[in-house]
Amino acid sequence: MLTVDFSRFPLAPGDRVLDLGCGAGRHAFECYRRGAQVVALDQNGEEIREVAKWFAAMKEAGEAPEGATATAMEGDALALPFPDDSFDVVIISEVMEHIPDDKGVLAEMVRVLRPGGRIAITVPRYGPEKVCWALSDAYHEVEGGHIRIYKADELVAKIREAGLKPYGTHHAHALHSPYWWLKCAFGVDNDKALPVRAYHKLLVWDIMKKPLATRLAEQALNPLIGKSLVVYATKPHLPRLAEEVAAK
């Protein structure tokens, strides 16, 4: 289940991609399938080991085109172990709401992104997230949990302040908002509640089968209750004089 829409966020074979805070690796896997040179980075060593296993399995199965590469590694989003201008593309999906120093993370992403490169940032959307917080403290008051809720204009302003140029936004995963509202209402850790189990089965069916009815329903509902906000931006090229000064 992808949050980034690659029809709005073009990716070319050979692009150097950083999936920052990759989690289980869903966006990293898609970039690998598209022929990119992918680095999946996360602070969770257990998840990184699983992502590395999946990369190896994909290579063995021939799922990635010739020339594509994939590396999974542990790392700190506030101190990325890469030189300046290392990547053509950076993706950070459902991560920034967890990190106290979100401006520091943005600065590091801008540093490792080459001029002209593209970045995709996704966070929980304000409205649906606010409902979750109202229904359940346990939803967010956990170690490593969500520490803030972004309004769209606030996030876009921070992206601009970091030196990036936003060029598009949209919302995604509307069908997932009611699921999390149910989870929060019945208990975040209570997977046995009938409404939660029934809705989970619906989501699994939708993900596996992708029926037209639910695809159209989600498309219509995304502007209203989409669970995630997605922002796309580019790193501007420096004026030639500034480039010459920076090179000295």
Side-chain angles (χ1 to χ4, degrees), residues 102 126 148-161:
D102 58 348
Y126 184 84
R148 69 173 64 83
I149 307 176
Y150 288 101
K151 291 184 177 180
D153 56 355
E154 174 196 0
L155 180 59
V156 169
K158 287 189 175 186
I159 290 170
R160 286 200 176 100
E161 289 170 8

Side-chain angles (χ1 to χ4, degrees), residues 114-133:
R114 69 164 177 81
R118 304 171 304 286
I119 189 166
I121 298 173
T122 90
V123 297
R125 185 184 186 177
Y126 184 84
E129 185 76 348
K130 197 74 172 176
V131 173
C132 289
W133 283 43

Side-chain angles (χ1 to χ4, degrees), residues 116-204:
R118 304 171 304 286
I119 189 166
I121 298 173
T122 90
V123 297
R125 185 184 186 177
Y126 184 84
E129 185 76 348
K130 197 74 172 176
V131 173
C132 289
W133 283 43
L135 289 171
S136 170
D137 290 336
Y139 171 78
H140 64 97
E141 290 182 357
V142 296
E143 184 178 356
H146 299 182
I147 63 171
R148 69 173 64 83
I149 307 176
Y150 288 101
K151 291 184 177 180
D153 56 355
E154 174 196 0
L155 180 59
V156 169
K158 287 189 175 186
I159 290 170
R160 286 200 176 100
E161 289 170 8
L164 297 167
K165 184 178 180 181
Y167 70 84
T169 67
H170 66 88
H171 300 103
H173 310 317
L175 295 183
H176 288 250
S177 290
Y179 172 70
W180 282 103
W181 297 338
L182 288 170
K183 288 271 287 182
C184 290
F186 286 93
V188 173
D189 297 320
N190 180 12
D191 293 326
K192 295 182 179 180
L194 180 59
V196 175
R197 287 191 290 115
Y199 203 98
H200 183 263
K201 287 183 179 180
L202 170 67
L203 291 180
V204 171

Side-chain angles (χ1 to χ4, degrees), residues 69 81 84 94 113 126 182 226 236:
T69 62
D84 297 356
E94 311 300 303
L113 184 66
Y126 184 84
L182 288 170

Side-chain angles (χ1 to χ4, degrees), residues 75-93:
D76 182 353
L78 289 166
L80 295 174
F82 311 111
D84 297 356
D85 307 338
S86 294
F87 296 96
D88 304 298
V89 171
V90 176
I91 296 171
I92 183 166
S93 183

